Amino acid sequence: MSNASAQELRNEQEFIDNLHTRLAELRDEAEAGMNAALASGASGGGTFQARLERDVLVAERSGLLAAFNAGENGLCFGRLAFRDGRDHHIGRIGIRRDDADRTPLVIDWRAEVARPFYLATGHTPMGLRRRRHISTEGRRVTALHDEILDLADPERTGLEGSDADAVLLAALDAARTGRMHDIVQTIQAEQDRIIRAPHRGVMVVEGGPGTGKTVVALHRAAYLLYAHREQLARRAVLIVGPNPAFLGYIGEVLPSLGETGVLLATPGELFPGVTATGTDTPRAAAVKGAAAMADALAAYVRDRQTLPDPELVIPHDDGDLVLDEAIARAARDRARATKLPHNLARPTFAFAVIDALTTQLVERIGADPYGGPNLLGPDDAAQLGKAVAASREVHAAIDALWPALTPHRLVADFLADPCHVPPADADAIRREAGPWTPADVPLLDEAAELLGEDDSAARAAAEAARQERIAYAQGVLDMSYGSRTQEFEDLEDEDSEVLAAHDVVDAERLAERQEEADHRSAAERAAADRTWAFGHIIVDEAQELSPMAWRLLMRRCPTRSMTLVGDPAQTAEPGGCGSWRAALAPYVGDRWEHVRLGVNYRTPAEIMEVAAEVVRASGAPEFRPPRSVRSTGVRPWARRTDDVPGAIAAAVAEAVSAAVAEQEDGRTAVIAPRSLHPALLAALPDASAGSTPDLTRPVVLLDPRQAKGLEFDTVVLAEPGGLGTSDLYVALTRATQRLGVVHSGALPAGLAPLTGASEPAR
């Protein structure tokens, strides 16, 4: 439905057609530039400078292409007519008329001039006379929704905004596709204020189910990359999501807004080279996530800095050397006094031991039998020191007392025989070698901090290779000088303008030109570098992070520029902090901002009432859920089956079949305890399941933890009695249209009234 005239509809269609024509021109230009750059380097030749310029051009053009392709759908969605005569179209990306005329055809939604599209009201029009919402399907304009915001405008009658609300409701009622869509056309005022908030410091965005906190955080990432492009393009933005299915679900939002330079990861993927595929018991995850694990690991590292009991006898050509407790203790104290990580302090320990053993050898060999001064001079002592330092036996003794350790080895050894934790906790986490779990990743990161990485050998090798390149370059210049032409030998030097390579560059600079630069994007480099400092971090379901996971993330962002999204009421992980203050106080004190989203855009009122009643019945009678903006008139239903093998699976399959038949399009989720999945999957052979289910399939099988942050048209919940309150609350609030419950046991108290509700036709 449109509240604009047919002529206005035709005018906007003509504008959209011209806009797409201009977009096609820009796309062709970018593609041609990229192809030309690639063609210029196809032979692999050219100078280093030429290769660098080519790679930069290819990266720039490919980024433009990605932005142009992503902006194709819903390219322009709004128009602002100001009282002073200005008139601007608003879209996903900014597009100018042409290279000569810099006037914008369409303004990027993130630009400051676009803010009235999201914030203006009749009482605060922000200079607007009219705000127009443009609805499109592909390149076809389907409707125009106008709001006249100037209270004195005679056109205002009948256009106060109710029709504009239809744009939002249409988006909310649309069938789900298995992928999160951006809300750039329907951002609400409370969301816009969060999206455009200053990026310095920590902002906590709290909101119940369906309040849009995740998509707001993603749009905030897009806005920050737009407003602080130079800084964040260098440092990158990290987005942390709870599981791979969730990352797949949100993966298209930022590309649709023209942003691709963002790293998406789960907490189990934040240690380079490790993919956490194992699972922990809830008890083990809670123990590993506790803050006390940092102290336990630090103590365990100190345990590896041992003393001989009582001494180590080291064979040597000039007689055995004795490394006793006194020598080792003095060396250990000296190394620990440096306050360096274990591996970085190890050379100090080694040098102290070598010095002490050298002194021992000098005193033995050079002792004057008549009691005079030592007979060996400084040069003799230095030679003996070199022999001690080169001894394999000496280094074996040093390794036994202060071994070089890797995070993987340290954590694996600790988990095989946990210490410095209570016995019950040790029993919970003890395990032999196996795949890493998500709760292990913060332990690996903590171990890496405690150990450090002694890269002195690598740096020495790199410097040796550099000197070799310089020597080679010097040889090339010498050959150039020796091969110089004699054609102008009869001219005075000042009369000759012939320049050779040796005249304009020295060996060091020539060698540098042959080095290959790292042209990976900031996000690609950050993914491979544990010590990378991100420009901004966004964490979804942040209430689930353990204290150890918080330590990891805070190391990744020394500036503490973060957006944290979550809902303490939905905390399900045993190690989760749950409280924002408890999570943040150790790092930023009370210097963080808290905002709350209170409107539920996803869950209909009929379903939200049921979910809220479950929480109230569990011991929180004062619980108030976010307010739903819409009702569907469809009440949730419950169906009881016999408690016999196969009955639940058959009933769920029947309910799913009815849901699929009822909805022409859209997605249905079956949410059930993990123990029921084998039987349900057998009854639903076409359903997608597993650790990373395909959410674009019509039917998907999940457990409540996998369903976090996702939404579906229909949800069929199986055996809710087997779920905790938090998991049950999450499962009940995933549906945008219909909710059904199938059970054989007793229903939780809050769901009992559903037994009288009507079921879908079968």
Side-chain angles (χ1 to χ4, degrees):
M1 179 179 177
S2 177
N3 61 7
S5 69
Q7 182 58 49
E8 289 175 317
L9 196 68
R10 286 191 293 271
N11 291 342
E12 294 294 3
Q13 182 64 66
E14 182 179 356
F15 175 82
I16 295 294
D17 290 340
N18 292 335
L19 187 59
H20 278 276
T21 298
R22 175 61 179 152
L23 180 67
E25 293 173 354
L26 292 172
R27 186 189 293 113
D28 290 343
E29 291 174 7
E31 189 168 5
M34 185 177 69
N35 291 337
L38 290 172
S40 69
S43 62
T47 65
F48 172 75
Q49 182 68 22
R51 294 198 303 273
L52 174 61
E53 291 176 355
R54 181 198 69 217
D55 291 343
V56 170
L57 184 60
V58 168
E60 177 187 291
R61 297 300 180 183
S62 61
L64 283 174
L65 268 178
F68 293 151
N69 291 330
E72 174 76 22
N73 294 320
L75 180 58
C76 176
F77 53 80
R79 185 173 183 176
L80 300 178
F82 289 85
R83 285 181 292 190
D84 61 7
R86 289 177 296 147
D87 195 311
H88 299 300
H89 282 85
I90 309 298
R92 295 178 179 278
I93 57 177
I95 296 179
R96 299 188 183 278
R97 294 185 183 278
D98 54 52
D99 294 336
D101 185 356
R102 306 287 288 176
T103 304
L105 268 174
V106 63
I107 291 176
D108 193 299
W109 66 276
R110 296 166 288 189
E112 187 63 24
V113 73
R115 290 206 76 180
F117 186 78
Y118 303 110
L119 298 182
T121 66
H123 294 288
T124 310
M126 302 178 70
L128 280 187
R129 186 185 72 82
R130 182 187 65 190
R131 172 170 51 204
R132 169 170 289 175
H133 295 262
I134 303 173
S135 300
T136 58
E137 290 182 4
R139 301 186 181 188
R140 184 173 66 87
V141 177
T142 58
L144 305 177
H145 302 279
D146 285 349
E147 298 170 85
I148 303 300
L149 299 176
D150 186 344
L151 299 178
D153 195 302
E155 296 183 27
R156 179 174 170 80
T157 304
L159 297 178
E160 287 81 359
S162 60
D163 209 26
D165 293 339
V167 178
L168 173 61
L169 293 176
L172 300 179
D173 285 330
R176 270 40 193 175
T177 64
R179 291 287 183 266
M180 178 180 281
H181 294 295
D182 63 74
I183 58 168
V184 65
Q185 186 174 354
T186 58
I187 293 172
Q188 302 300 293
E190 65 170 356
Q191 298 171 333
D192 184 80
R193 282 188 284 270
I194 295 170
I195 290 169
R196 298 174 190 263
H199 86 289
R200 292 293 186 186
V202 175
M203 170 177 278
V204 175
V205 182
E206 183 178 327
T211 53
K213 54 188 180 294
T214 296
V215 74
V216 165
L218 294 174
H219 284 66
R220 175 161 169 75
Y223 171 76
L224 293 177
L225 286 164
Y226 172 85
H228 307 279
R229 176 74 62 188
E230 183 176 350
Q231 176 184 351
L232 294 183
R234 291 197 311 268
R235 303 309 314 163
V237 173
L238 170 66
I239 297 179
V240 181
N243 55 59
F246 175 84
L247 294 184
Y249 177 64
I250 69 171
E252 294 180 2
V253 174
L254 285 169
S256 75
L257 299 174
E259 299 295 347
T260 56
V262 175
L263 177 62
L264 277 68
T266 67
E269 297 171 334
L270 292 177
F271 194 89
V274 169
T275 300
T277 58
T279 56
D280 279 311
T281 65
R283 170 72 172 148
V287 172
K288 291 179 180 180
M293 288 301 295
D295 294 332
L297 285 173
Y300 190 66
V301 170
R302 292 175 69 87
D303 288 347
R304 306 299 290 267
Q305 301 162 2
T306 59
L307 300 175
D309 184 20
E311 62 186 25
L312 293 176
V313 178
I314 305 170
H316 192 268
D317 292 342
D318 295 310
D320 291 346
L321 300 173
V322 178
L323 176 51
D324 58 21
E325 181 180 344
I327 292 175
R329 185 180 299 278
R332 187 177 71 174
D333 291 346
R334 182 175 170 184
R336 286 179 173 176
T338 65
K339 305 297 184 182
L340 293 172
H342 173 88
N343 288 334
L344 298 182
R346 185 175 180 274
T348 301
F349 176 83
F351 291 144
V353 168
I354 290 170
D355 287 346
L357 294 179
T358 300
T359 299
Q360 185 182 117
L361 196 58
V362 167
E363 290 175 351
R364 179 197 306 160
I365 295 175
D368 185 346
Y370 299 104
N374 196 286
L375 301 176
L376 298 180
D379 291 342
D380 298 321
Q383 286 298 113
L384 289 175
K386 289 180 180 179
V388 172
S391 169
R392 293 183 179 179
E393 290 77 10
V394 169
H395 282 283
I398 292 171
D399 286 341
L401 300 179
W402 195 296
L405 297 171
T406 66
H408 304 73
R409 175 184 170 187
L410 184 79
V411 174
D413 289 349
F414 174 80
L415 294 177
D417 187 17
C419 53
H420 305 292
V421 295
D425 290 348
D427 291 340
I429 65 175
R430 182 178 287 108
R431 74 153 192 254
E432 297 302 324
W436 297 111
T437 71
D440 292 334
V441 168
L443 303 187
L444 290 167
D445 198 72
E446 189 73 25
E449 286 292 305
L450 293 168
L451 297 177
E453 182 179 358
D454 182 6
D455 61 350
S456 57
R459 285 188 282 108
E463 178 60 23
R466 176 175 171 272
Q467 293 299 328
E468 185 177 345
R469 289 193 299 271
I470 292 174
Y472 179 82
Q474 186 61 58
V476 171
L477 293 178
D478 291 343
M479 291 178 61
S480 171
Y481 182 79
S483 303
R484 67 192 185 282
T485 179
Q486 304 299 316
E487 180 178 354
F488 302 102
E489 63 181 358
D490 57 332
L491 299 178
E492 296 294 333
D493 288 343
E494 61 269 17
D495 295 329
S496 175
E497 297 183 359
V498 178
L499 295 177
H502 54 269
D503 296 313
V504 295
V505 67
D506 59 21
E508 186 170 357
R509 287 183 174 80
L510 180 60
E512 289 175 354
R513 291 188 177 186
Q514 307 312 309
E515 294 178 5
E516 288 294 337
D518 187 349
H519 300 311
R520 293 175 299 170
S521 69
E524 291 170 331
R525 285 181 282 129
D529 185 354
R530 191 196 68 82
T531 63
W532 189 272
F534 288 92
H536 193 81
I537 293 181
I538 292 174
V539 186
D540 201 286
E541 302 293 350
Q543 79 280 353
E544 303 288 8
L545 294 183
S546 68
M548 290 299 292
W550 280 115
R551 288 175 66 88
L552 180 155
L553 283 176
M554 290 298 175
R555 281 193 283 267
R556 299 294 195 276
C557 193
T559 61
R560 304 294 190 259
S561 178
M562 309 176 85
T563 303
L564 310 176
V565 179
D567 179 12
Q570 297 184 63
T571 304
E573 293 295 334
C577 283
S579 162
W580 300 122
R581 188 168 301 280
L584 298 175
Y587 308 102
V588 296
D590 59 357
R591 300 182 305 277
W592 49 281
E593 182 181 358
H594 180 269
V595 294
R596 183 170 180 85
L597 296 170
V599 179
N600 187 332
Y601 298 99
R602 175 207 301 145
T603 317
E606 294 83 357
I607 296 177
M608 205 62 220
E609 289 172 7
V610 172
E613 191 57 37
V614 166
V615 178
R616 296 187 189 111
S618 70
E622 302 302 319
F623 176 75
R624 293 291 180 269
R627 176 180 58 85
S628 296
V629 299
R630 66 196 175 101
S631 298
T632 61
V634 180
R635 292 283 300 167
W637 56 268
R639 176 187 175 193
R640 184 162 192 162
T641 69
D642 296 329
D643 187 10
V644 297
I648 279 284
V652 168
E654 189 176 356
V656 169
S657 178
V660 172
E662 183 177 355
Q663 59 191 30
E664 295 182 3
D665 202 352
R667 301 295 178 268
T668 297
V670 176
I671 303 178
R674 178 64 66 172
S675 59
L676 291 181
H677 281 209
L680 290 171
L681 195 55
L684 300 166
D686 295 330
S688 179
S691 59
T692 54
D694 182 359
L695 301 178
T696 64
R697 296 274 291 276
V699 180
V700 62
L701 174 61
L702 306 166
D703 64 37
R705 306 290 173 89
Q706 289 178 301
K708 271 184 172 290
L710 309 183
E711 58 184 34
F712 305 90
D713 298 88
T714 300
V715 168
V716 177
L717 174 58
E719 291 293 27
L723 303 176
T725 300
S726 176
D727 285 342
L728 181 54
Y729 184 59
V730 169
L732 291 171
T733 55
R734 299 306 97 191
T736 65
Q737 300 292 338
R738 294 167 290 277
L739 170 67
V741 178
V742 178
H743 64 107
S744 61
L747 284 174
L751 293 181
L754 295 186
T755 54
S758 59
E759 302 177 30
R762 297 194 296 273

